[in-house]
Amino acid sequence: MSFQPRRVLLISATIGEGHNATARAVEEAAREVWPDCEVVWLDALRIMGRWVPGAFNWIYVTNVESTPWLYDFFYDSLWRYRWFANASRRFVGAWCGPLLRREIRRVDPDLIVSTYPLGTAGLDWMRRHGELDLPVSAVVSDFAPHPFWVYPEADLHYVMSEASLRAMHRAEPEAVGAVSVPPVRHDFQPRDRTEARAEFGLPEAGFTALISCGAMSFGAVERAIDAALRVEGLARVLVVCGRNEALQERLLARGEQRLVPLGWVEDMPGLMACSDVVITNAGGATALEALACGRAVLMFEPIAGHGRANAELMADAGLAELCPKESQLTATLRRWVADPQEVGEREERALKHSRSAEFADQVAALADLPRHHGPRRLRAQDAFFVYATTPEVSQQTGAILRLAPSPDSAQVWCEHFARRIQDCAPHLPMLTRRLVTPPGRRPQWRHAGPVDPALHLGVRELSSEQDAEGLTSEFFSTPVRTDRPPWELRLLHDAATGRATLLAKMHHSLGDGLAVTNALIRLLCDGHHPASAPSAGGRSWTRRAPVVLRGLLGLATSAGATNPAWTGRSSHARSFGHLTLPAVQVRARARAHGVTSSALLIGLVAEALHRALGEQRGEARFRVMVPRTARTGRDGAGTAAPGNHTHSLSVDLPVGPMPLVWRIRAVADALAEPDRSGQPEAAGAVLAGLGLLPAPVHAWIVRRIYGRRFFNAVVSVMPGRRRPAHINGTRLSQVLPVLSLADGVGVAIGAIGWGEEFGFGITTDPGLAPDAGRLTAHLREAFDELRERR
């Protein structure tokens, strides 16, 4: 069954009416095939700046009417100089992309369709930055796609003919395209000519030419009129002046009986039905509408740049007659007036082209597009975890999902999960990516094709609690396979109690904890789960620059771990511990002590470290790396965005002797210090800057900064979900995170809020640090002690 989008985003622009006309056709088709779908419009030029629509329209009109040579030069340069086309597209994408990003997060669509090339450029920019995880398509309403129209990151471009498809591949060899019927509204279809003329108050008989040159009616309109009026047998010339009031006044002043000047026309399908031939000059929406109405098309003195290319391509396809000069237009009209059979043959050809498929069916197919078809370099933040992987320490993040007791058997659960994987994984591109690491080059994602549930889902029936612990440890101790999309699920089912536990792990390069949790919810949980919106804000660059510089200085002066405890040479062995704490009590204790829940939980971790270190304590401070989300309006992602969007804070936890409540307050102060010093912004700048280096240098630096030289442990508290979630009707009662270690670091502790509990997951390397069960016990004891204090 085809995927049913909940919300479709149309990206268009008001520059003439061609792009909007195409978008209206897409909207009409979307409402037909998905009656319950919401369609949201976005004007790409408006979001680029208040002044942009007026300025771009002025530039466009000026180029076409006054400086066509300049427009031709720009258009020809796009084709002649690949570097110029790429630079132009990247510039526009970098301008439009960050602004689009904010709006897309707000709208939260399931499908994006662009009918305006600058909007497509912005979407391409987002895709290249790993920030767009849903189907993206473009409808190219011009007959001749040019390098500004097509982009490798769009999942599909609809173009107007086989010749257009060849031009698209010449413009961008990596672009994906298919031929579409004219993207026009249903109103544009053949109608009875006699009835249409009666509705417009026109005589029934007589050969009628319609001249329509877009909403602004510019170009050689008056020369086209003069050429047409020279044809003796031509009964009348209808001229659509659109918004060009000055042109309409000039034509009315002529007093020519056969000339019918019209302003803005609402019923263009009816007016086209009145005509025998449509004369235009750009090959955009007007020409497509004429073809859909089954009308013969004449292209006269095409406008510069894309108009000329459209006209030539339409003529090559046999869908229009090209008349570059007045004399040719007059001669062609005389021939057609004298030979109605030739006009009839052209009408049949237009209808055959327009009726080769249903546009509504072609729009419906967009929802099921396979995304990320081509190779894509990993973002620097994601490649970081590829480079940080060692033979002893795999970089993967995971979770334990515990379900309430259910009468369902293991077979029923497996069949349900297999169906969910088949139905949902294609719409979660981070689950269809395969990791490729070319020697000496940045790692790449490649689309792996359809997901086979059997390769990602395993099942084990349990015989005892000890069996469950052993299977859990074995699952998370084994590196996730990278010869397929790097994620795995394992179902542990206890037939005696009806309890089911799902283990999940993914390569860390796929995403941070929030991205992984969100992907699992969308893959497994019942119902629709929209991405949570990013927070607005973020400092402007002028305000961020001093903060980044201050943070870089702080990073440089604080580098190096202060305590050698629990660091050294990593082993393959792992121990895992798990703990849940009641969320109501955690939040109540946090309020009582005037700290955040995160600070209180990390304070409890510091207390557990203090008790476990014992005589090994050495120095009174223990340096931990604390990942913090960077998913804001400026940094670009809600929870649905794949990839790693975190800044890592270097925090010295107090582990010396002190009362527990003092320790919690000291931890809250320590967590606030990196913000004051600008460390998060600096860490983000460093990660982004590493991506500018050659891949071997990038890898060499990562392996030296992510490990025991700089910190003793990884500690992460992630926001979760308070609302209950269900899988196949059964409540998902607990979620416990499982973090990976860093090279030479013996402890990683993660926590996430889920429903009525905070779930802890503790990972240790027993060769470097105590068993995870010991830390888990100390953590519970510390919380019980805090809870007893009033």
Side-chain angles (χ1 to χ4, degrees), residues 296-333:
V297 178
L298 282 170
M299 301 294 295
F300 172 66
E301 283 194 29
I303 61 175
H306 71 286
R308 173 171 40 82
N310 288 337
E312 292 172 352
L313 207 58
M314 287 187 71
D316 290 343
L319 297 172
E321 179 90 1
L322 178 56
C323 300
K325 299 178 180 178
E326 283 186 55
S327 59
Q328 291 172 300
L329 178 58
T330 301
T332 301
L333 286 173

Side-chain angles (χ1 to χ4, degrees), residues 626-699:
V626 181
R628 176 180 292 179
T629 184
R631 294 170 181 269
T632 66
R634 176 169 293 277
D635 289 288
T639 58
N644 292 271
H645 299 268
T646 57
H647 296 153
S648 292
L649 310 182
S650 178
V651 179
D652 288 333
L653 296 185
V655 293
M658 67 175 66
L660 174 56
V661 292
W662 289 13
R663 194 181 313 279
I664 290 172
R665 184 69 258 174
V667 166
D669 292 340
L671 290 172
E673 178 55 34
D675 284 328
R676 289 192 291 268
S677 67
Q679 190 185 124
E681 287 87 350
V686 168
L687 284 180
L690 290 176
L692 303 176
L693 300 173
V697 179
H698 187 181

